[in-house]
Structures are given as C-alpha cells and as structure tokens.
Amino acid sequence: MLFQRSLAARRALLRAGTATAALMAAFWMLPANAAEEAAEESTSAIEIPELVISAPAKEDGPSETVKVGDVTGPSARDAGELLSRMPGVTAGRMGGHGSDISIRGMSEDRIAVISDGAYVFGACPNRMDPPTSSMMPMSGDSITVRRGYQSVLDGPPAPAGTVSLERADPADFAEGLSGNVESGIESNGVQRYVSAQARAVERGSYIRGFMTGRRADNYEDGSGREVRSAFKQYGGGGEVGLRYGADSLLSLSMERNVVEDAFFAGAGMDAPWTATDTYRLAVEHNFEEAGAFKGFEASVYGSFVDHVMDNYSLRTPGAMTMRTDATSDTRGTRLAGVFEFGDVDVTVGGDYRRNDRDATSYSSMMAAIPPTTISNYTWPGMEIEDAGLFVEANAPLTAKTDLTAGIRTDFVSVKATKADLLPGGMGAVSARTLYNTFYGVTQTDQDETNVSGLVRVTHDFGGFSGWAGASRAVRTADATERGIARAPAMGNGGWVGNPGLDPEKHHQLDTGIETVRSVWKASTSVWYDNVQDFISRDIARGQSGVLVNDGVSSIFRNVDAELAGFDVAGQWAFAPSWHVGADLAYTYGENTTDNRPLYQISPFSGSVELVYDVTEWSAGTRMRWAGKQTRADTSTATGSGLDVRETPGYAVVDLFGTWQLASAVELRGGVANLLDTTYASHLSRGNGFDPAVVQVNEPGRSAYVQVNLAF
C-alpha cells in the first residue's frame, strides 16, 4: 500500500530522565539469557516466539497500533473508554458514554480523530459527544495512536497527537466469505452488546458490512452509589472495494451511528439523541511501470453529526426547561502523490477540510415542554475552512539512520454567519455584541496562514533503536474557543468565545529508545512542548485583552505555556508461558503567563500486569493506578476552576482470562475493579446530580463475559 524555560519545566524533564534511566537500567540487568541482541537487519517489527506481546500489535516510537480485540477488560462503552486503556492515554467522563481522551496533557481539538479516513468533530458545545464517542470500536479492526506531532500528512496540525480507527484490508483475508459475531454482558449497569462483521473477497475486490448494538443501565460506583450513566447505541455500515491494476484500490464506505437516551451525572442536561453519518470515497493508485512517480492517493469524505440535549426528557426539570439543538458537519478531500528518487521517498500533496458547527439553545421560564424561546445562538454558524499544502520526505542518512522531514502551510478562513442574529427574550444580545462587550472585538471573519513542520531521526544501535525529533505545530482556535456565545443570565456567568485569538504555536522536542530481546522488551520516551499563544479557558477578571471583570463568566485568551513528560513501558517473559508487564506516564503542565498549573493534566499513572498464556487459554491480573494530582487549577478566584479538586490517587485490581473453546469460538471473561474501589479520573467532571459525590466516579466491581464466533 502507498500510505501507511521555565526552571520548573526543566526540573520536570530532569525527573523524567532520571526515572526513565532507572527503569531502563532495571531491564538491562535482567539475566544474561535475556540480553541476546535482536537481529541487526530489521528496525521494524521483530518476531520473537518466546515473547508474548499482549497489547500493541505494532510500535514505532511514540506510535502504537492495537488490535481492538486484543484489549482486555469489559467491552468498552465507546472508543474513548477503549483508548484510555492504552499507555499514555487518559480520559474523563461525565456519564457512561462519551469518555473524553487526553494525550500529553492535551485534549479536545488538539487531538485529531480520524474514523476510517474521515475527520470527525462532535456537535455538543459541552462535549457530551467527543469524536471518539461516534466510533464503534467493534466495527473496526485496530486503533492507532500517534503521540505528538509526527507527520505533516495527517491534515491540519493536532499537537497532542492523532487517533485513527482503521479496518483491515479484506485482501489480507482468504478468498470467499468470512467474518465474526461477538456478544457479551457486564454485571455492573447490565451492559450488553452484540456486534457482527462479514466480508466477501474475490480476487482482492470485496464487499463487507458491520453492525453493532449496545445498551447499558446506570452503574454503581465502589460505594454502591448509582451513577447516571445509562445509554443506548446502535449502528452499522458497509464498504465496497474494487482491486485493479498493480494492487490499486477504489473504495466507497458508509456508516451510521446513533446514541439515544444518554444520561450524564456531570452535566446539567442529558442527550436524548445523537446521530453521526460518515461517507468516504477513496482511490489508492499504483503505476504498473512506475518511474519516479510511484502513485497517488485521493479521497473525499463527509461526517455529519446531529445532537440534541435537554433537561427534561430524561430527568425532572426545575423551574426552567432548556434544550440545545446542534450540528457539526465536516467535509474534506485529500490528494497526495508519492515519488521515489533513489532511496528517498517524497510525498507531496494538499488537503482541504471544512467544519461547520451550529447550535441554537432554547429556554422557558414557565417550564414549558418543549421550550420555544431562543436564548442563545450558542454556536452562531461557525464555519472554519482549512486548505493545506504539504511535502514530507524520508531518506536514509546511513545504513542504520533514517531522516524524516516535512513542512506544511495551512490557509485558514473563519466566519460566524449568525453573529448578528438576536435571540428572543428580554435584554437579548447578539453574538457580535457579546464579543465586543467581553473583548472589544467585532470582526468575526478571520484569515490565517500557518506554517508547521518537523524533522525526525531514527537510528538502529544494534540492540535497540532510538529516535529524536523536533517540530512546530500551529493550531487554529476551534469553534468553541473562537465563537461560543452564551450570554450571562440571572446572575450566572456567560460563556463567550474570542474571535481575536491568535493560533497556538507548539514547539516540541521528543526523544526515546526501544528494544526487543528474546524474552523481554522495553521502550521509553521523554518530550517537551513550549507553547506560544496557548488558548486557555479562564474566568473573566479583567485580564489583558478581557474587558469584563465579573468573576464568573468563562472566557478564552492567549497565554504562554509549557508541557513536559515521559512514558516507560516494558514486558518480561520470565518463565515459559508467563510474562509480567508494566507501564507508567507523567505529564507536567504550567501556564507560564500566570504562573499556575495548567488545568486538566493527568497525574502520574500506570499499570502492572501478570499473565499466564498457553495455546488454549490464558489468565491474568492487572493493577491500574494513579497518584494524587496536587498540581490542579481548582480556584475560580485566581484560576480557571476547571479542575474539580486535587483528585486522590487510587489502585484498582482487575482479573481477566480467555478460553479457546474451538478453533472458531473464543470465550472471554473477568472481573473489573475486583476490590470495589471508589475512585475517579482527575479529568472527570463534577457530579452535579449527586451532592454526596464530588466527581463522576468510575464503575465499581463488575463481572463480565464475552463470546466471539468466527466464520
């Protein structure tokens, strides 16, 4: 296939390097028979029969690809929950569905989410439906996480990284009909699901379909308290592919995903309806008698999200009823050609992406159902277009050293088409009036030219490989940061975007090493990100560029920031059929303009597991843990208040196992949170529905069983 400064920050990096070196040294001190050198001829995947690799199917520095079916534990409620089980990825929740992921201390639109080649953006201003929530994990075959800015080919820059749900090439399967059906149930919340895939392959061409359905009731936390978390989700899709010529491919895919009656303990509303439709037409063409021009890739896609949230369909309303109807429509195209000049591969091309987000909020003081008075044009017709040009080259510097370098320019155009519309009710103001009141800005149409680039070197040292990279990633403000318009009302603060925001400039450095030996493997990386014009959500206190000083309204402004961190992972097959593995990650974030911690930064965390694995069955135990997060931005008087608290640390024990009943039948099961621990992720929202609970807690003890039938 064609495409596959501050002193505190420096101290954090020093601590990162010390911990990394200590753990790597521990691995190097394993018994002598574990120190056999890997073959020097390969710097990619090395097949070691003695080593059981239980999670990543492929690793390449800060990239990781995991087969969906290889992730142990209860069936994930959505892709966000699934991703949070991968090292270095954390998630916060406000209910049972819609886990919002974070990578390297960054979240939301700083992470690119791609579903089978199509970009997806959620339609809820409050992020009830982050992009990963529209992915149906069991409808895909693998998920790839690229941490940090690693390629200019991935579209408009996402400095935290890229998450991509991918489907296997049917040509890799035997000719004829094949597929699988999977079903399972989980005790806590009575989550039950069924999914199916089927494919027919003939001479490399194919047709396939998939479907999934899932339903869950409210679960209980470790203290036996019920957490509003119920939801229903169902959907499916299909794809046809025509193989021709020199393994070229023309494909068309369609997918629909629906979430109904989603309860949220951490929000003032629930979501009775969210629907996502995705379409993609793509061609990968290889020239049969290629010269320097080897081939090209072209695609066009669309993802369309409709979302409804209210405070009366799924709960008893108070004196006021509220509803928001929102849409997020994304359209894009991409054209890239691959050239080969001796040993140098060059990809040249362009992409275009347009995201339109619109949200209208309604309310009624008389508790009328449904409310009909427009209270705000919450997203006032936000249109963000990005046209990018890119070139990326891969070249060998020596027999064991490779260089990757790339540059891209993004031409950004932004409009707020409903900025002058007046909502209903007394004292109503337009979005443009709000922008002028809060920032003295009236111009909503903006244009930017943003230049990003990277250079990366990898080297095979003969027993391990290493990499070092430097990058600049420029991210434009998203629809919420730039344009959300919710006016203050009845003593409550507003929530107002800033059309005058400058784009973020991320300057990242990262380095790391990894090794695979006969019975063990280990990897570690250290990274640093200096951010100019970091877009920070804050409380209006008359800061520079902010004209309001009410101490309650949410605003957005540019600050400078630093982030740094490290991650370490290792696995040791210490005896036949036995292995032990561990991983840990740490992130440091500082708002250097205000000299306070960045909000929503996960604490020091990781996991350790012990597994026994033979041909017919396997069993294991895992402990997931996190330290207390003491660097939190909790104050609404001096900070943003976006961290609910200094979240306590925790340790949770899981049991899991598999049993191959027959060649085509596999049974899985286990117990998650065996000790019924009560805990919450630091990133989770405050529990506004249960005054006895501070945050939305994770599920307590839960037994589960799953069966997979292949054909």
Side-chain angles (χ1 to χ4, degrees):
M1 290 294 169
L2 281 174
F3 296 101
Q4 306 210 327
R5 299 169 314 305
S6 69
L7 177 61
R10 287 193 289 269
R11 287 173 174 168
L13 279 175
L14 179 60
R15 290 194 299 268
T18 302
T20 297
L23 189 52
M24 289 300 294
F27 276 108
W28 281 103
M29 292 170 65
L30 290 171
N33 65 347
E36 299 170 11
E37 293 186 352
E40 295 183 0
E41 301 298 324
S42 173
T43 59
S44 57
I46 303 175
E47 188 174 344
I48 306 295
E50 297 93 335
L51 180 63
V52 179
I53 300 176
S54 62
K58 178 183 177 184
E59 293 183 72
D60 181 15
S63 292
E64 189 171 12
T65 298
V66 174
K67 293 182 179 179
V68 171
D70 287 349
V71 180
T72 57
S75 178
R77 291 166 172 83
D78 60 19
E81 188 173 275
L82 181 74
L83 285 159
S84 70
R85 300 175 188 173
M86 296 177 64
V89 183
T90 52
R93 68 166 72 243
M94 67 172 92
H97 198 269
S99 294
D100 207 355
I101 64 170
S102 175
I103 301 173
R104 292 189 170 182
M106 294 175 279
S107 58
E108 301 184 359
D109 288 353
R110 295 180 179 92
I111 302 173
V113 178
I114 307 173
S115 179
D116 194 31
Y119 285 85
V120 183
F121 293 91
C124 176
N126 198 32
R127 296 188 69 82
M128 289 178 175
D129 65 336
T132 51
S133 70
S134 67
M135 292 178 171
M136 297 179 288
M138 301 312 298
S139 71
D141 295 287
S142 64
I143 290 183
T144 296
V145 176
R146 290 185 285 277
R147 301 177 183 88
Y149 189 52
Q150 290 194 50
S151 176
V152 301
L153 308 181
D154 283 340
T162 300
V163 172
S164 179
L165 177 68
E166 299 153 354
R167 298 191 177 96
D169 186 347
D172 294 336
F173 294 88
E175 297 269 305
L177 181 66
S178 62
N180 72 286
V181 179
E182 182 173 318
S183 184
I185 188 168
E186 181 182 355
S187 63
N188 193 347
V190 198
Q191 181 187 191
R192 52 275 196 203
Y193 77 96
V194 61
S195 67
Q197 292 194 64
R199 64 189 75 85
V201 182
E202 178 67 28
R203 298 179 181 177
S205 297
Y206 61 88
I207 182 170
R208 66 174 160 195
F210 50 89
M211 61 77 63
T212 186
R214 184 182 302 272
R215 182 169 186 157
D217 301 330
N218 294 336
Y219 65 72
E220 293 182 350
D221 66 12
S223 299
R225 296 187 181 93
E226 186 175 286
V227 179
R228 286 180 58 83
S229 53
F231 68 93
K232 293 179 286 188
Q233 182 176 17
Y234 55 89
E239 181 179 9
V240 293
L242 174 64
R243 193 84 54 180
Y244 68 94
D247 199 27
S248 298
L249 176 66
L250 176 66
S251 62
L252 173 66
S253 63
M254 296 165 284
E255 181 177 347
R256 180 170 176 82
N257 179 58
V258 177
V259 179
E260 293 183 352
D261 297 343
F263 289 36
F264 292 99
M269 298 185 185
D270 299 309
W273 174 263
T274 304
T276 304
D277 295 291
T278 307
Y279 308 89
R280 182 173 183 256
L281 175 66
V283 60
E284 296 178 3
H285 184 84
N286 301 297
F287 294 111
E288 294 190 19
E289 298 181 2
F293 188 19
K294 310 298 292 184
F296 65 88
E297 175 199 76
S299 63
V300 59
Y301 66 87
S303 61
F304 307 94
V305 186
D306 293 321
H307 175 77
V308 177
M309 58 180 175
D310 65 42
N311 70 339
Y312 54 85
S313 294
L314 305 173
R315 63 175 73 181
T316 302
M320 175 184 288
T321 56
M322 300 177 290
R323 185 181 87 251
T324 296
D325 299 338
T327 60
S328 177
D329 298 337
T330 307
R331 301 168 179 86
T333 187
R334 168 187 168 88
L335 174 63
V338 173
F339 298 82
E340 187 177 282
F341 305 100
D343 293 331
V344 180
D345 296 325
V346 181
T347 302
V348 181
D351 50 42
Y352 171 82
R353 188 181 74 191
R354 171 172 170 165
N355 176 241
D356 298 345
R357 297 199 211 186
D358 192 274
T360 303
S361 298
Y362 302 84
S363 63
S364 173
M365 291 296 296
M366 304 303 294
I369 299 177
T372 57
T373 301
I374 297 177
S375 55
N376 292 285
Y377 291 100
T378 306
W379 276 333
M382 299 301 299
E383 299 177 359
I384 302 179
E385 293 182 278
D386 189 305
L389 300 174
F390 54 79
V391 57
E392 186 167 292
N394 296 278
L397 298 180
T398 69
K400 295 185 177 183
T401 306
D402 292 321
L403 170 69
T404 298
I407 189 170
R408 70 174 286 136
T409 301
D410 289 274
F411 303 93
V412 180
S413 177
V414 183
K415 296 180 180 179
T417 61
K418 297 182 179 180
D420 295 313
L421 292 184
L422 275 176
M426 295 180 60
V429 295
S430 69
R432 194 183 304 275
T433 299
L434 283 173
Y435 304 149
N436 187 42
T437 299
F438 276 75
Y439 309 103
V441 176
T442 58
Q443 181 56 261
T444 58
D445 294 357
Q446 303 286 346
D447 294 299
E448 298 171 1
T449 301
N450 300 325
V451 179
S452 305
L454 59 88
V455 60
R456 194 170 199 83
V457 177
T458 60
H459 182 76
D460 176 14
F461 291 94
F464 60 94
S465 60
W467 68 90
S471 66
R472 168 187 167 93
V474 183
R475 182 189 74 92
T476 194
D478 65 22
T480 299
E481 295 163 335
R482 192 186 294 274
I484 196 166
R486 193 178 71 187
M490 298 184 302
N492 294 318
W495 187 8
V496 183
N498 184 353
L501 287 169
D502 291 326
E504 291 181 348
K505 297 92 173 173
H506 291 254
H507 303 93
Q508 300 185 38
L509 300 171
D510 73 315
T511 186
I513 57 174
E514 61 184 352
T515 184
V516 177
R517 302 300 180 99
S518 60
V519 294
W520 65 275
K521 67 170 188 173
S523 66
T524 183
S525 65
V526 182
W527 58 273
Y528 171 75
D529 186 1
N530 182 288
V531 193
Q532 297 175 359
D533 296 318
F534 183 89
I535 299 172
S536 176
R537 183 174 169 181
D538 211 337
I539 301 297
R541 289 186 292 270
Q543 302 96 322
S544 177
V546 180
L547 306 182
V548 172
N549 185 9
D550 62 8
V552 290
S553 290
S554 289
I555 52 89
F556 295 91
R557 64 189 185 107
N558 291 117
V559 300
D560 291 335
E562 290 181 327
L563 296 105
F566 69 92
D567 54 79
V568 183
Q571 194 173 107
W572 176 31
F574 61 90
S577 302
W578 287 92
H579 79 258
V580 61
D583 63 80
L584 53 88
Y586 173 75
T587 300
Y588 168 95
E590 178 81 358
N591 175 338
T592 58
T593 295
D594 300 328
N595 296 314
R596 68 176 192 244
L598 284 178
Y599 51 82
Q600 292 288 276
I601 301 292
S602 296
F604 190 37
S605 60
S607 69
V608 59
E609 70 175 17
L610 176 67
V611 178
Y612 180 79
D613 190 351
V614 293
T615 303
E616 298 83 8
W617 62 278
S618 68
T621 181
R622 177 186 299 110
M623 183 180 72
R624 299 174 282 122
W625 59 270
K628 179 179 180 179
Q629 180 53 290
T630 58
R631 289 182 49 80
D633 187 1
T634 59
S635 173
T636 57
T638 60
S640 71
L642 291 175
D643 290 330
V644 178
R645 59 174 171 170
E646 294 186 358
T647 309
Y650 62 84
V652 177
V653 177
D654 302 329
L655 301 178
F656 55 88
T658 64
W659 183 17
Q660 197 73 41
L661 297 174
S663 61
V665 183
E666 183 184 63
L667 185 67
R668 297 184 176 196
V671 181
N673 194 356
L674 177 67
L675 304 180
D676 213 14
T677 303
T678 301
Y679 71 106
S681 166
H682 178 67
L683 306 184
S684 292
R685 302 286 185 94
N687 191 327
F689 210 85
D690 187 344
V693 181
V694 180
Q695 285 174 281
V696 179
N697 286 331
E698 297 294 306
R701 183 188 299 116
S702 188
Y704 62 94
V705 63
Q706 307 160 3
V707 61
N708 187 300
L709 171 63
F711 59 88

